Amino acid sequence: MVLMTEEKELYLGYASDKAMTPFMQKFLEALDGEKLMMSKCTSCGTEFLPPRQHCQKCLSECELQELTETEAKLHSYVIVDFAPESLSSKAPYVVAIGEFPSGKRLTAHITNLMGMPEVGMSLKLGYEHIDAKKLTYKWLV
Ligand SMILES: [Zn+2]
């Protein structure tokens, strides 16, 4: 699914008025309430974060489940100096993979970093309403 808008977006996020499916609508409503959903395959049990509607392994339907973990450790990161045009005003910025105690990993921006990121540092899942219709999740240090 590709979401296109007329205006250039300055920030990664989910547009709350662009839900194409009931699955996506439910995901966005949870995000609006500052809850992140993952999904689990109804056939083979594989979990996906961020959620996928269909299983990557067996193509069966997945169901949304609330992610209950909020604290993670920095597993890996990249500092983006040369950003795509839509994000150039934000560069340099940090894209990080956080690992929850369960082993699940999530990729998101770290937006409140005051120094260099360090592998193993504590991260907390945060949310942001970028504007009236745009939502995102992010890592906070
Ligand atoms: Zn499956």
Side-chain angles (χ1 to χ4, degrees):
M1 178 170 61
V2 177
L3 302 178
M4 300 293 290
T5 59
E6 294 77 32
E7 292 179 15
K8 285 187 179 170
E9 305 294 356
L10 292 175
Y11 215 102
L12 292 176
Y14 294 94
S16 61
D17 60 341
K18 294 281 188 344
M20 305 288 194
T21 63
F23 184 90
M24 192 66 182
Q25 183 65 40
K26 193 174 169 189
F27 170 76
L28 291 171
E29 283 170 9
L31 197 59
D32 190 43
E34 304 201 339
K35 288 177 186 157
L36 186 59
M37 304 294 270
M38 50 176 269
S39 69
K40 187 171 184 179
C41 175
T42 55
S43 180
C44 75
T46 304
E47 296 177 331
F48 298 97
L49 180 69
R52 299 178 63 97
Q53 189 167 357
H54 296 97
C55 179
Q56 210 167 15
K57 289 186 177 170
C58 73
L59 305 179
S60 297
E61 199 80 22
C62 292
E63 60 184 21
L64 287 168
Q65 295 183 343
E66 187 180 334
L67 179 74
T68 53
E69 296 174 285
T70 57
E71 313 260 331
K73 299 281 184 199
L74 180 58
H75 174 75
S76 181
Y77 67 90
V78 62
I79 299 173
V80 180
D81 283 312
F82 300 97
E85 190 185 343
S86 61
L87 288 169
S88 60
S89 68
K90 303 285 181 191
Y93 57 85
V94 178
V95 177
I97 299 173
E99 186 173 282
F100 293 101
S102 66
K104 290 184 192 69
R105 293 178 182 168
L106 180 69
T107 302
H109 288 197
I110 304 178
T111 57
N112 67 338
L113 203 58
M114 298 305 284
M116 288 295 288
E118 285 180 42
V119 169
M121 72 193 299
S122 295
L123 299 174
K124 194 170 172 23
L125 194 56
Y127 301 90
E128 185 175 344
H129 284 77
I130 297 162
D131 60 36
K133 291 180 177 174
K134 207 149 189 222
L135 310 160
T136 194
Y137 54 83
K138 60 188 180 179
W139 290 119
L140 300 172
V141 293

